[in-house]
Amino acid sequence: MAPAAVEVDPPAPTKDLAALKLQASYQIGGVYKEIPYHKFDADAELGKKGHEAAKYPHYLPTWDPNQKYPPLEPFEHYEHGKDADPTYPNLLPRDQVTVTHLTPSIGTEVRGIQLSQLSNAGKDELARFVAERKVVAFRDQDLKDLPIEKALEFGGYFGRHHIHPTSGSPAGFPEVHIVHRGAGDDTIDKFFENRTSSVAWHSDVSYEAQPPGTTFLYVFDKPAAGGDTIFVNAAEAYRRLSPAFRQRLHGLKARHSAVEQANYSVLRGGVKRREPVINEHPIVRTHPATGEKALYVNPQFTRDIVGLKKEESDALLKFLYDHLAFGADFQVRVKWEEGTVVVWDNRVTQHSALVDWQDGQRRHLARITPQAERPYETPFEG
């Protein structure tokens, strides 16, 4: 397969750096943390520097400065999980699939079904099953081998495609978010000069007015060991709190900001496809298919709690972040295999990549990110 043309060095920032740094200092509390993958060595990715070539070069990231988009407009999301048969006859036919739960409350591995061949009824069941199990690893999938248009057509059933404001994407397909650390990349060494851990819990682009729901990530190249992804069940995290504490959280909203991510990208010579937004979301949101309530704050994008003073907001958010991060008994670690598609529900989970390999091996994945409804809250029920 012929490689797509890639722009490996994004254009330099066009604004005055001092002004950008001043703008980047705007924070409602918290700092955006990202490992800087804004360029890569094209020769290494094409197998010219002693490394094996990327298996799917047409999925290598590009950063096109001409991609500029207006603010996202509201849309009416239809939640297909509400239409699902809860016995999952189309998604999990008993005579065909193997289903292994990785923990009691979160994480399942499925073998024997091909996602790309699902009927609409099967897709409805997929949305519901993932909402119930929070994250599901489907093994031996062909999604990566489909034309990108077909992969997007599959993902588009679950909602409007999100175009990420700053990340790399395959040439001509800004709807696909690329996760990529190239062969021989040593930027992690510089990162760890100032950090003790690569863990960065988040729900994807929670700053959008209508953040993602059912989300797909599929792998092309991976290190021999490491590079796993960890997930936390934010619905179980909510249930673990005392009734009095849960009741106090109801009615509170938090601000989620895209400003720091956008400024970080521009400062490093990356792209900014849309002007950054700040949106308020309930701290406790309700899933439209299951009715479950889940905590919806994360240290990457949440900045403060509306109506609280800074010290109050910081203290409450720190407790919630720690509660989610330390909850190993409602977390799961997903290991990548060749042909894996991991599907999770961003409304009831948080996740983090783990950058724990330091031998220069490539890690290359693609994410399809359908948007869902605007987060909402239903009344406290005790």
Side-chain angles (χ1 to χ4, degrees), residues 270-330:
V271 297
K272 184 174 71 172
R273 299 184 180 95
R274 289 190 309 276
E275 289 302 311
V277 296
I278 297 173
N279 279 292
E280 297 178 4
H281 298 312
I283 287 180
V284 177
R285 72 177 297 182
T286 301
H287 194 285
T290 66
E292 275 192 311
K293 295 179 172 64
L295 297 177
Y296 198 67
V297 292
N298 69 87
Q300 286 281 277
F301 302 123
T302 306
R303 294 295 172 251
D304 74 342
I305 298 174
V306 178
L308 297 190
K309 295 183 177 181
K310 175 175 171 47
E311 293 85 354
E312 298 166 340
S313 174
D314 289 350
L316 183 50
L317 286 175
K318 182 181 185 303
F319 169 80
L320 294 175
Y321 297 158
D322 287 349
H323 175 54
L324 288 156
F326 297 153
D329 52 344
F330 46 88

Side-chain angles (χ1 to χ4, degrees), residues 41-202:
D41 186 329
D43 286 341
E45 293 306 275
L46 299 178
K48 297 179 180 179
K49 287 192 172 180
H51 300 281
E52 290 187 7
K55 295 175 184 175
Y56 291 79
H58 62 301
Y59 266 106
L60 287 172
T62 66
W63 295 268
D64 183 352
N66 297 313
Q67 289 176 343
K68 299 290 185 181
Y69 299 99
L72 292 174
E73 295 291 334
F75 75 100
E76 185 174 351
H77 171 70
Y78 186 82
E79 179 52 46
H80 290 285
K82 294 190 294 186
D83 297 336
D85 182 334
T87 66
Y88 308 116
N90 300 284
L91 178 69
L92 306 174
R94 295 181 181 178
D95 60 344
Q96 185 175 336
V97 302
T98 301
V99 177
T100 304
H101 294 319
L102 302 178
T103 81
S105 74
I106 178 173
T108 297
E109 182 180 86
V110 175
R111 299 180 187 271
I113 191 73
Q114 196 61 250
L115 293 178
S116 65
Q117 302 302 313
L118 288 176
S119 64
N120 286 349
K123 294 173 189 174
D124 295 346
E125 293 168 16
L126 173 64
R128 177 62 184 250
F129 185 62
V130 171
E132 294 278 2
R133 293 301 303 162
K134 309 304 182 284
V135 55
V136 183
F138 290 89
R139 307 298 190 182
D140 305 315
Q141 299 296 304
D142 65 1
L143 196 62
K144 67 185 187 306
D145 298 309
L146 301 180
I148 296 178
E149 298 92 337
K150 290 295 184 183
L152 286 170
E153 180 182 336
F154 170 79
Y157 182 82
F158 300 90
R160 181 178 72 183
H161 286 297
H162 180 259
I163 295 178
H164 197 281
T166 67
S167 71
S169 59
F173 296 98
E175 305 89 349
V176 180
H177 168 93
I178 295 299
V179 178
H180 177 257
R181 183 180 172 196
D185 188 320
D186 61 359
T187 54
I188 192 63
D189 297 333
K190 184 171 291 295
F191 177 85
F192 281 130
E193 288 177 3
N194 298 303
R195 298 280 187 172
T196 60
S197 172
S198 64
V199 174
W201 289 107
H202 64 285

